[in-house]
Amino acid sequence: MSKRIFKNLDDFIEIHEPNIDELNEFLIEEIIEDKIEPTNKTILTRYSKVKNYIREKYKEISEAELKQIKPPAEIVNAVLDSDAKLKETKKNIKFNQKLVDKILSFKESKNLYEKFIYLQFVSGRRVSEIKEFDNIVKLFKNNQNEIKMKLNKKTHNNFEIVKIMPNTIEPAEFKKQLKKLRDIIEDIHTDDYTKRLNRFIKKNLGKDYTTHSLRGMYGSYMFNKHNLENLNINAYLKNLLNHDSIDSSISYSNYQFEK
């Protein structure tokens, strides 16, 4: 999806040399008025990716102009309202070592959903960050538990450090398996794949779990097993999940690992 948007964006800029107002109008058509009808959160993610793409490729567009490229206020407010309501009704999500071991047993699975679940769980990444090629992965030299990756929901386009769960998979093998999986499912829309994956998770891992739960369980498990600096949970999750604000990390503190 992002590749198509980027190509259309390049063509539009090359042919029309638009001002910011014209660019915003184009992006509304390209990002929001999509026949697949993306969710509001997907729209926000697309805008973030487009801004990073423009920032990196079109240096002549200033930061002041980039700030004018943004989704309609009603979409932003709808997401904020939805998130606030979810936080008010959020319940604790419990999981145990038996469930962790089941997920880790998917490492050698030939099932695409199980492989996706495994890679998402051991890295704590979002579905789109696992699925989409825009989220580039680089390796460190002689590092057994960390990779560098371009992440979603960032105001920059820099690489961030991602911790691989210790004693699960080597970074080089993680990158190899990720590419192999992305090649196979590339033509499936991310929203569609997320829905399929959620159905599989509820059927095979438990009705209380979703793709988002894998990220939360990763954070809780790492906090309980690999918190070497003895940080409090919110500070630990902020660093681990690459959040810009500790407020984002608080929303993951309801995941409880039962020892």
Side-chain angles (χ1 to χ4, degrees), residues 29-252:
E29 294 179 4
E30 194 69 26
I31 293 177
I32 300 175
E33 297 173 0
D34 191 315
K35 58 186 176 182
I36 300 178
E37 298 184 355
T39 65
N40 286 337
K41 284 199 171 184
T42 296
I43 289 170
L44 296 190
T45 298
R46 288 181 181 178
Y47 265 93
S48 177
K49 287 187 174 185
V50 164
K51 288 180 73 170
N52 284 333
Y53 180 79
I54 293 173
R55 179 180 287 111
E56 187 171 274
K57 185 166 183 179
Y58 298 98
K59 305 295 185 183
E60 67 274 16
I61 298 179
S62 68
E63 284 298 320
E65 290 174 313
L66 278 173
K67 287 181 180 179
Q68 298 177 53
I69 298 175
K70 53 189 177 183
E74 59 268 24
I75 291 178
V76 176
N77 292 333
V79 171
L80 292 175
D81 289 344
S82 176
D83 286 349
K85 289 176 182 177
L86 283 174
K87 287 179 181 178
E88 289 175 0
T89 59
K90 186 171 288 188
K91 65 178 182 178
N92 289 329
I93 298 176
K94 299 179 180 180
F95 67 106
N96 54 29
Q97 189 63 49
K98 182 178 179 181
L99 180 60
V100 171
D101 290 341
K102 181 175 182 177
I103 295 173
L104 295 180
S105 73
F106 295 163
K107 181 178 182 179
E108 305 299 334
S109 176
K110 304 297 183 184
N111 182 292
L112 294 180
Y113 295 130
E114 290 181 350
K115 177 66 72 173
F116 198 105
I117 289 167
Y118 176 82
L119 294 176
Q120 190 182 354
F121 178 66
V122 300
S123 64
R125 297 304 94 202
R126 301 176 179 89
V127 171
S128 57
E129 290 169 342
I130 292 294
K131 183 182 178 301
E132 297 177 4
F133 281 97
D134 303 333
N135 301 100
I136 302 166
V137 174
K138 289 187 177 181
L139 302 176
F140 289 102
K141 289 184 179 179
N142 303 318
N143 190 318
Q144 301 302 308
N145 297 117
E146 293 180 338
I147 58 175
K148 292 182 287 186
M149 194 171 184
K150 290 193 174 183
L151 303 178
N152 296 341
K153 299 187 177 181
K154 294 294 178 184
T155 57
H156 59 74
N157 201 31
N158 301 327
F159 284 91
E160 299 230 354
I161 295 175
V162 171
K163 293 185 181 296
I164 302 297
M165 191 176 290
N167 306 313
T168 56
I169 188 170
E170 295 289 328
E173 183 62 20
F174 176 88
K175 182 179 181 181
K176 177 182 176 182
Q177 292 297 326
L178 192 65
K179 183 182 184 307
K180 183 177 179 181
L181 183 64
R182 286 173 171 177
D183 285 338
I184 296 172
I185 63 176
E186 180 180 12
D187 293 333
I188 304 174
H189 190 274
T190 300
D191 286 349
D192 186 31
Y193 194 79
T194 302
K195 291 176 184 176
R196 298 183 197 181
L197 193 58
N198 277 330
R199 287 195 293 269
F200 183 89
I201 288 172
K202 288 182 179 298
K203 181 179 179 180
N204 293 277
L205 298 184
K207 61 182 179 61
D208 291 333
Y209 306 120
T210 64
T211 55
H212 185 71
S213 303
L214 296 173
R215 181 166 162 84
M217 289 190 290
Y218 160 86
S220 178
Y221 190 75
M222 290 285 281
F223 173 76
N224 281 276
K225 295 289 187 177
H226 304 288
N227 182 14
L228 301 181
E229 297 178 359
N230 198 31
L231 297 174
N232 68 65
I233 187 166
N234 292 324
Y236 183 82
L237 292 179
K238 178 180 181 295
N239 294 329
L240 182 72
L241 299 178
N242 308 91
H243 288 150
D244 295 326
S245 166
I246 204 164
D247 290 340
S248 300
S249 305
I250 292 173
S251 65
Y252 286 88

